[in-house]
């Protein structure tokens, strides 16, 4: 059965590091419950894949995760042609999602406590649905910047929503039903709207 929606889950990382990215590191482990819950709830209606980068860091202008994320986007759309894509990215993965959001195959994205630098949200193509969730107790990435980005997108005519998590921290180990429920809501909405 051909899925009706492709979903890429994009883990976080760090600013500078050439340490190899491993499937067992904390940033990857943090996202498996999102991947598994989407698969469990929507079954064959979605093809959901969690992306692995080569190294752990963004590494300045090298933007090290992007070639691997783009390859994952190409792979999932090659396997399921003409099926739209929703991106779910945490922290650095939210930055990766914003960059991939320029691609016309991407119809929506969920940024979880995104590490948006240099107004990365401006890369997201017009017409994509955007939701960002950020804890107000996050000390690693800026909830204020995320809210600013979503407000700018909304003012520019995007379907963009910001959700603040009171007391929410960067690791998303609090308010778990809100964080994970938002991912399920975004995927469910994309399926209901025919993405």
């Amino acid at each position: 059965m051909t899925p009706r929606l492709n979903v890429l889950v994009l883990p976080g990382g760090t600013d500078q590091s050439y340490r190899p990215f491993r499937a067992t590191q904390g940033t990857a482990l943090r996202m498996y419950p999102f991947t598994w819950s989407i698969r469990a709830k929507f079954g064959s209606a979605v093809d959901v894949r969690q992306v692995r980068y080569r190294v752990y860091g963004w590494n300045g202008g090298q933007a090290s995760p992007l070639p691997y994320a783009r390859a994952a986007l190409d792979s999932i759309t090659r396997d399921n042609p003409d099926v739209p894509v929703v991106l779910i990215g945490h922290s650095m993965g939210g930055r990766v999602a914003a960059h991939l959001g320029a691609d016309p195959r991407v119809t929506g994205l969920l940024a979880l406590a995104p590490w948006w630098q240099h107004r990365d949200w401006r890369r997201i193509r017009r017409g994509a649905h955007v939701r960002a969730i950020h804890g107000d107790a996050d000390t690693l990435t800026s909830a204020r910047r995320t809210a600013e980005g979503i407000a700018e997108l909304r003012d520019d005519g995007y379907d963009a929503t910001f959700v603040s998590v009171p007391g929410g921290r960067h690791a998303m180990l609090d308010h778990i039903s809100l964080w994970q429920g938002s991912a399920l809501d975004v995927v469910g909405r994309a399926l209901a709207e025919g993405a």
Side-chain angles (χ1 to χ4, degrees):
M1 177 178 173
T2 302
R4 293 187 289 124
L5 186 68
N6 293 317
V7 180
L8 288 180
V9 177
L10 302 155
T14 193
D15 188 6
Q16 293 286 328
S17 176
Y18 294 99
R19 181 164 50 99
F21 188 92
R22 302 198 186 288
T24 55
Q25 69 190 45
T27 57
L29 294 172
R30 187 170 292 126
M31 298 310 291
Y32 292 135
F34 289 85
T35 303
W36 296 333
S37 64
I38 291 166
R39 189 172 292 133
K41 179 161 185 171
F42 299 107
S44 61
V46 301
D47 184 348
V48 57
R49 303 179 189 181
Q50 186 161 320
V51 176
R52 282 186 65 180
Y53 317 122
R54 188 177 67 81
V55 297
Y56 184 55
W58 182 269
N59 302 316
Q62 294 177 33
S64 296
L66 286 181
Y68 302 93
R70 285 195 182 106
L73 177 61
D74 290 340
S75 176
I76 201 169
T77 56
R78 185 171 49 250
D79 292 346
N80 307 304
D82 303 317
V83 174
V85 180
V86 166
L87 308 172
I88 298 172
H90 174 245
S91 190
M92 185 183 76
R95 189 176 192 188
V96 173
H99 285 249
L100 291 185
D103 192 294
R105 296 171 290 184
V106 174
T107 59
L109 67 88
L110 171 62
L112 302 163
W115 177 49
W116 280 348
Q117 299 289 341
H118 313 296
R119 303 190 183 280
D120 292 298
W121 59 83
R122 291 181 177 172
R123 296 175 178 273
I124 301 167
R125 73 171 187 85
R126 187 172 296 283
H129 301 292
V130 184
R131 184 184 299 182
I133 302 175
H134 217 127
D136 65 9
D138 190 331
T139 58
L140 295 178
T141 58
S142 171
R144 180 197 52 75
R145 184 179 295 134
T146 300
E148 174 190 342
I150 292 296
E152 181 180 304
L153 291 175
R154 196 170 46 246
D155 290 348
D156 204 24
Y158 283 70
D159 178 0
T161 306
F162 175 75
V163 177
S164 179
V165 183
R169 298 189 179 277
H170 191 70
M172 303 185 300
L173 298 176
D174 47 59
H175 309 283
I176 291 171
S177 61
L178 190 157
W179 295 104
Q180 295 209 3
S182 294
L184 297 174
D185 288 347
V186 165
V187 172
R189 173 183 171 175
L191 285 168
E193 294 180 352

